[in-house]
């Protein structure tokens, strides 16, 4: 028996519009994005709108009626009356099944995502934050009206949130490796560090294995070594703001004394369950109160990268360590230097030809006279 396909259905309050959708998640496959489209059963003139909105402030931050949000994409199409013969349209498998089941009063609609739209991303609020979250959101809206520009009545409209999610094919032959060399002052040889991953693409919930190779040829001792996975979030709107947060971290207890090596593998778990209370982390977009996960890495074509607004996410692995210095003190030596002592080096003393008997020069002060008297004794 084949599994049942879930159809999402939503009806307007006045029951003039009914929207049917076979799914609410639409995948960005890097080279193409799943199109949006299913069926509508209208009773009057009907339009459908696909929108992408970037909300960069909470609802309670709206000032003087100006909301902290920006529409990144809006497209509206007339569905009924039809502008094109229904039979000539290309229908998906779900649309064909729904047309057979719902009859002639059902009308398909179809949208394509442009290349310069980000995926659905939400910034995780703090424990005490209320209202709508900062997020990139997608929505399908069906409404009735005399034309597409008139005010939309809530009673005769249907709004259905959808998500644009990122998918990346796994490339098995690419093994990321990063190598760097540190040179220290007063050390003849450098410190060499190599980081490596087992593969380039990791999926949600999958552990990340990191190989750490430290060749310490320097004169410093290396300690306090840690490896972490960091989430880099770029919020692109009026400016390009970058936020970096660690989502997984492991400390290496071993130290690397001068002239030794260390090779180890760390296993990190960058999952949301360990970061539930971290305010500002980027998450995949949510539908109502469903569980989600850390935001997927944004994969954008280079030719449209400068046009993309919203929230872009990437991840990096970072190793940190401390190089211990050396003690600085006076050195002990067996070398001896002989220096002839002369009383002329003392203040206020003048010697004659024999350099033995001091004489007073001019009117010496009381302190100078006292010093001379002491020297005579």
């Amino acid at each position: 028996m084949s599994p049942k396909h879930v159809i999402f259905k939503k009806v307007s309050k006045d029951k003039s519009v009914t929207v049917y959708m076979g799914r609410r998640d639409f995948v960005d496959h890097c080279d193409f994005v799943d199109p949006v489209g299913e069926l509508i059963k209208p009773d009057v003139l009907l339009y459908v709108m696909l929108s992408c909105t970037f909300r960069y402030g909470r609802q309670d931050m709206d000032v003087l009626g100006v909301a902290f949000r920006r529409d990144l994409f809006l497209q509206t199409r007339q569905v009924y009356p039809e502008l094109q013969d229904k039979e000539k349209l290309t229908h998906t498998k779900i649309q064909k099944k729904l047309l057979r089941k719902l009859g002639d009063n059902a009308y398909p609609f179809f949208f394509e995502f442009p290349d310069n739209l980000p995926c659905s991303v939400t910034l995780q609020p703090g424990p005490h934050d209320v209202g709508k979250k900062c997020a990139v959101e997608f929505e399908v809206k069906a409404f009735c009206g005399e034309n597409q520009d008139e005010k939309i009545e809530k009673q005769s409209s249907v709004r259905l949130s959808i998500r644009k999610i990122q998918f990346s094919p796994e490339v098995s032959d690419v093994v990321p490796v990063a190598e760097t060399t540190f040179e220290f002052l007063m050390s003849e040889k450098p410190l060499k560090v190599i980081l490596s991953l087992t593969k380039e693409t990791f999926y949600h919930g999958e552990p990340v294995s990191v190989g750490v190779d430290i060749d310490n040829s320097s004169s410093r001792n290396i300690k306090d070594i840690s490896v972490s996975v960091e989430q880099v979030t770029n919020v692109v709107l009026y400016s390009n703001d970058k936020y970096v947060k660690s989502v997984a971290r492991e400390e290496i207890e071993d130290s690397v004394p001068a002239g030794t090596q260390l090779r180890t593998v760390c296993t990190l778990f960058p999952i949301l369950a360990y970061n539930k209370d971290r305010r500002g982390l980027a998450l995949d977009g949510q539908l109502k109160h469903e569980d989600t996960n850390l935001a997927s890495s944004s994969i954008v074509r280079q030719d449209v990268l400068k046009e993309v607004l919203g929230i872009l996410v990437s991840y990096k692995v970072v190793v940190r360590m401390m190089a211990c210095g050396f003690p600085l003190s006076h050195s002990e030596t067996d070398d001896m230097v002989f220096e002839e002592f002369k009383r002329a080096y003392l203040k206020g003393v003048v010697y004659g030809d024999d350099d033995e008997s001091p004489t007073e020069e001019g009117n010496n002060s009381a302190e100078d006279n006292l010093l001379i008297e002491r020297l005579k004794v």
Side-chain angles (χ1 to χ4, degrees), residues 190-227:
L191 167 69
K192 185 178 180 180
V193 181
I194 300 177
L195 273 184
S196 61
L197 300 177
T198 55
K199 57 182 180 177
E200 186 178 29
T201 303
F202 294 87
Y203 296 104
H204 294 295
E206 190 176 0
V208 178
S209 296
V210 183
V212 182
D213 187 350
I214 302 176
D215 183 0
N216 186 14
S217 300
S218 71
S219 58
R220 304 291 184 92
N221 296 326
I222 304 301
K223 65 176 185 177
D224 297 341
I225 307 169
S226 66
V227 181

Side-chain angles (χ1 to χ4, degrees), residues 7-10 18-22 37-41 98 102 106 109 160:
I7 301 296
F8 298 94
K9 175 184 175 181
K10 194 167 185 179
T18 305
V19 176
Y20 298 85
M21 298 196 70
E38 295 307 350
L39 268 71
I40 289 181
K41 290 187 68 176
L98 288 173
L102 300 175
F109 63 91
L160 198 64

Side-chain angles (χ1 to χ4, degrees), residues 38 44 209-210 241 363 368:
E38 295 307 350
V44 292
S209 296
V210 183
D241 298 324
N363 295 324
D368 294 337

Side-chain angles (χ1 to χ4, degrees), residues 9-20 157-158:
K9 175 184 175 181
K10 194 167 185 179
V11 185
S12 63
K13 291 184 179 180
D14 62 2
K15 302 189 185 305
S16 61
V17 181
T18 305
V19 176
Y20 298 85
S157 64
V158 173

Side-chain angles (χ1 to χ4, degrees), residues 83-99:
L83 300 179
Q84 188 176 353
D85 187 358
K86 186 189 303 184
E87 300 300 328
K88 295 181 180 180
L89 296 174
T90 301
H91 301 142
T92 64
K93 292 182 179 180
I94 298 297
Q95 287 178 332
K96 291 178 180 178
K97 291 181 179 180
L98 288 173
L99 284 170

Side-chain angles (χ1 to χ4, degrees), residues 129-157:
D129 291 342
V130 295
K132 292 188 176 181
K133 308 169 185 177
C134 298
V136 175
E137 301 171 324
F138 289 84
E139 183 181 68
V140 171
K141 182 187 298 182
F143 59 94
C144 301
E146 295 298 327
N147 59 72
Q148 66 181 32
D149 297 324
E150 73 176 24
K151 184 178 179 180
I152 300 174
E153 298 291 339
K154 291 185 178 180
Q155 299 289 334
S156 303
S157 64

Side-chain angles (χ1 to χ4, degrees), residues 359-371:
T359 58
E360 296 185 11
E361 179 185 23
N363 295 324
N364 294 321
S365 63
E367 294 181 357
D368 294 337
N369 292 334
L370 179 60
L371 178 60

